[in-house]
Amino acid sequence: QALTFAREQIKISEDLLRDDLTNRMLHLNLLKEESAFKGRIEENTAARRRLEASLTETRAKLDNIVQSAEAELEIADNYYRKKDYLVAAESYKAFITFHPIHDRIPYAYYQTGMCYLKASPKQIDRDQKYLDDSLRHFDSTTQFIDSDVYDPAKEKSREVRKKIASRHYYVGRFYYRTK
């Protein structure tokens, strides 16, 4: 709009210059102004093209990030299916670290808890060092009330607490008897 206005002024100035009603200096200033407007328009057009290209590139990267996050979860699930629970747990934890706002975070917490629970021996007289990690991840899952793993996580949390209590009872009873 400013460029259109400048062009109208130049046209009027040309008519006035022919009739010797203005001087050449004022006309040259109007031409400079038009040129400056054209330059700004060209700069804005180039900037807009760069912005559109950058936006397209960013969208492509974002799609790749979403796909890579899903792939990371799938890799962790494969380790879980192969019963390599500690490697699966590390994979889920990496997912949680690198994608903290992903919508499948509750699932990753739950699966991490399941990995540690399954890595713990069933016998309570064996080392139960992974139960605390399992409990921590199930409790983290229960922060996501609307998730589909909320109820199973609550149940598993109770189960782990019972196993920990049984372990403490077993150890206490052992030391009471040996006294």
Side-chain angles (χ1 to χ4, degrees):
Q1 195 174 29
L3 182 61
T4 306
F5 181 67
R7 284 182 179 157
E8 286 180 25
Q9 284 182 322
I10 290 170
K11 191 173 187 179
I12 292 170
S13 177
E14 286 172 352
D15 291 342
L16 292 175
L17 196 60
R18 263 186 254 125
D19 295 339
D20 282 332
L21 296 175
T22 188
N23 63 29
R24 188 149 174 77
M25 196 65 171
L26 292 175
H27 183 70
L28 288 175
N29 284 339
L30 290 174
L31 290 174
K32 282 183 195 176
E33 213 174 292
E34 179 192 32
S35 178
F37 283 133
K38 284 180 182 178
R40 279 188 244 143
I41 289 172
E42 288 172 7
E43 286 175 8
N44 289 342
T45 303
R48 183 175 180 203
R49 284 189 195 124
R50 286 191 308 273
L51 179 65
E52 287 172 351
S54 177
L55 186 59
T56 301
E57 182 181 335
T58 302
R59 283 183 180 146
K61 285 181 182 178
L62 184 60
D63 287 344
N64 288 339
I65 289 171
V66 169
Q67 290 171 356
S68 76
E70 293 298 324
E72 287 176 37
L73 269 182
E74 189 59 37
I75 289 168
D77 287 341
N78 285 333
Y79 283 124
Y80 184 84
R81 282 190 286 275
K82 290 180 181 179
K83 298 183 182 190
D84 197 350
Y85 298 121
L86 296 179
V87 175
E90 290 304 315
S91 297
Y92 288 122
K93 285 169 46 178
F95 175 84
I96 292 165
T97 300
F98 293 119
H99 308 285
I101 59 171
H102 196 276
D103 60 340
R104 301 219 32 221
I105 285 290
Y107 172 78
Y109 275 118
Y110 177 76
Q111 284 300 105
T112 306
M114 287 300 296
C115 289
Y116 285 127
L117 179 60
K118 291 194 179 256
S120 297
K122 293 192 187 301
Q123 303 85 358
I124 60 170
D125 60 337
R126 302 284 181 234
D127 187 11
Q128 301 289 321
K129 63 183 176 184
Y130 297 119
L131 285 181
D132 290 332
D133 292 328
S134 179
L135 181 61
R136 187 168 28 88
H137 284 88
F138 286 135
D139 286 345
S140 294
T141 305
T142 59
Q143 295 175 8
F144 302 94
I145 296 171
D146 295 334
S147 76
D148 56 340
V149 291
Y150 175 79
D151 290 331
K154 275 283 228 206
E155 185 59 38
K156 289 296 180 183
S157 181
R158 275 188 230 116
E159 180 183 325
V160 171
R161 287 179 200 282
K162 284 180 185 177
K163 279 186 95 169
I164 291 172
S166 295
R167 170 72 178 162
H168 288 303
Y169 179 77
Y170 173 82
V171 170
R173 194 166 159 223
F174 173 80
Y175 284 109
Y176 178 76
R177 283 186 179 171
T178 59
K179 185 177 177 186

